[in-house]
């Protein structure tokens, strides 16, 4: 029997998964963040080693018996970060071939039927990556959010919402129900106190307030509705850039939607789809319904030359759910399984 490892190190949590060649999960562990931009390379080293020890203990074998591995690491954005991360991975003692990818890629591999296409991530932040059929060419944005004009995750949505509250206060826009909503959530006295406290960092209003923007929009506020449409168009424009990079304009391909912002539904998704379909009419859309770490282990299988079929994909999802729901030693430290 051959065994494969998948690792997904994100800004909130790190997940490790081991399965056999049929997709049967034999080890799963979840720990804290693995983004080296947050915890440093020493922190990345520690969390990867801790997770590997746990899943190998559950599986009952050593690192040398792993036949292929896929590592997705948040913060792996530029080529200058490749070697420092690879140096950390080299300390894990794997003898198998493995591949390092940005953490947007596993959702693409796990969410599409054939492991290629586009992934749009919109949660706290946002990202977009694409792979061609052969996994030889990758399209991407920078992943640096509002700094590089890439929107919108929850952070960018709320950042823009607070600008619009300021516009309404100063008379640049009509009044908006967003003002009172943010006054209430911040505990401010009035709009001026809200803006003073926000700009002086007395009131901290960030991505966690994104659902509030959607609620105000659903209640009919035109400023909030326009804002969410703007966010959808921005996500669509990010994807359109990646489509142009990969030459997918005339392809039939899947676009995987991953992240909590898509819980906002049609107000966000429809303008995003309209923007993409103007560029690539053959695009279709699917919401990611399995943890991205499944994509990481599929990448590991690919490194070992294993042909992944729909049966393996289905068994991975099924046995991971069963493994984590039946009291196995998961030791979840942060968050929950799934999206």
């Amino acid at each position: 029997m051959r065994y494969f490892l998948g690792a997904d190190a994100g800004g909130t949590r790190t997940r490790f998964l081991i399965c056999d060649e049929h997709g049967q999960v034999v080890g799963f562990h979840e720990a804290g963040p693995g983004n080296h931009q947050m915890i440093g390379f020493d922190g990345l080293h520690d969390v990867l080693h801790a997770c590997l020890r746990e899943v190998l203990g559950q599986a009952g074998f050593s690192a040398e018996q792993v036949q292929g591995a896929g590592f997705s690491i948040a913060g792996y954005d530029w080529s200058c970060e490749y070697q420092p991360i690879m140096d950390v991975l080299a300390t894990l003692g794997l003898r198998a071939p493995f591949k390092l990818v940005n953490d947007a890629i596993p959702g693409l591999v796990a969410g599409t039927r054939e492991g290629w296409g586009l992934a749009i991530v919109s949660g706290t932040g946002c990202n977009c990556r694409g792979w061609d059929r052969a996994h030889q060419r990758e399209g991407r944005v920078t992943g640096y959010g509002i700094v590089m004009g890439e929107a919108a995750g929850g952070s960018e949505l709320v950042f823009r919402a607070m600008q619009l509250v300021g516009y309404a206060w100063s008379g640049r826009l009509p009044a908006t129900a967003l003002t009172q909503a943010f006054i209430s959530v911040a505990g401010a006295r009035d709009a001026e106190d809200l803006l003073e406290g926000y700009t002086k960092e007395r009131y901290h209003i960030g991505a966690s307030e994104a659902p509030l923007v959607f609620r105000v929009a659903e209640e009919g506020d035109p400023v909030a509705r326009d804002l969410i449409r703007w966010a959808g168009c921005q996500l669509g424009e990010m994807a359109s850039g990646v489509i142009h990079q990969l030459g997918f304009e005339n392809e039939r391909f899947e676009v995987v939607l991953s992240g909590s912002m898509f819980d906002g539904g049609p107000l966000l998704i429809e303008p995003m789809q309209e923007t993409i379909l103007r560029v690539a009419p053959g695009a279709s859309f699917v919401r990611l319904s399995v943890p991205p770490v499944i994509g990481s282990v599929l990448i590991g299988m690919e490194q070992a030359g294993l042909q992944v079929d729909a049966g393996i994909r289905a068994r991975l999802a099924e046995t991971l759910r069963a493994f984590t729901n039946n009291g196995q030693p998961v030791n979840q430290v942060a968050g929950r399984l799934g999206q």
Side-chain angles (χ1 to χ4, degrees), residues 10-12 33-40:
T12 302
N35 186 334
H36 64 86
Q37 295 170 341
M38 299 167 54
I39 63 174

Side-chain angles (χ1 to χ4, degrees), residues 92 162 178 199 250 252 264 323 335:
L92 294 175
M162 284 301 295
L178 288 168
T199 56
N250 298 313
R252 298 186 68 83
F323 192 89

Side-chain angles (χ1 to χ4, degrees), residues 12 16-17 45 66 89 92 97 113 127 140 154 201 205 217 229 243 273:
T12 302
F16 268 54
L17 168 65
H45 173 282
V66 173
L89 298 180
L92 294 175
R113 284 169 293 185
N127 204 349
R140 56 166 296 186
E201 299 186 347
I205 301 170
R229 180 169 184 82
I243 289 166
Q273 291 176 330

Side-chain angles (χ1 to χ4, degrees), residues 168-181:
W169 177 78
S170 63
R172 294 172 65 182
L173 276 181
T176 169
L178 288 168
T179 302
Q180 186 56 52

Side-chain angles (χ1 to χ4, degrees), residues 46-108:
D46 292 346
V47 74
L48 294 184
H49 276 264
C51 287
L52 183 61
R53 282 194 302 270
E54 181 65 29
V55 292
L56 289 175
Q58 293 173 25
F61 53 76
S62 67
E64 290 83 357
Q65 291 173 267
V66 173
Q67 299 297 303
F71 291 90
S72 67
I73 308 291
Y76 173 41
D77 298 312
W78 304 110
S79 58
C80 65
E81 293 157 321
Y82 176 80
Q83 195 56 54
I85 297 173
M86 290 294 287
D87 290 344
V88 172
L89 298 180
T91 68
L92 294 175
L94 299 174
R95 295 180 180 174
F98 64 85
K99 188 175 184 67
L100 168 64
V101 298
N102 175 271
D103 66 325
I105 291 294
L108 164 60

Side-chain angles (χ1 to χ4, degrees), residues 11 15 28 71 73 88 119 229 235 276 278 293 297:
R15 289 167 169 165
F28 176 80
F71 291 90
I73 308 291
V88 172
R229 180 169 184 82
L235 292 172
I276 292 170
R278 283 197 293 269
V293 70
V297 81

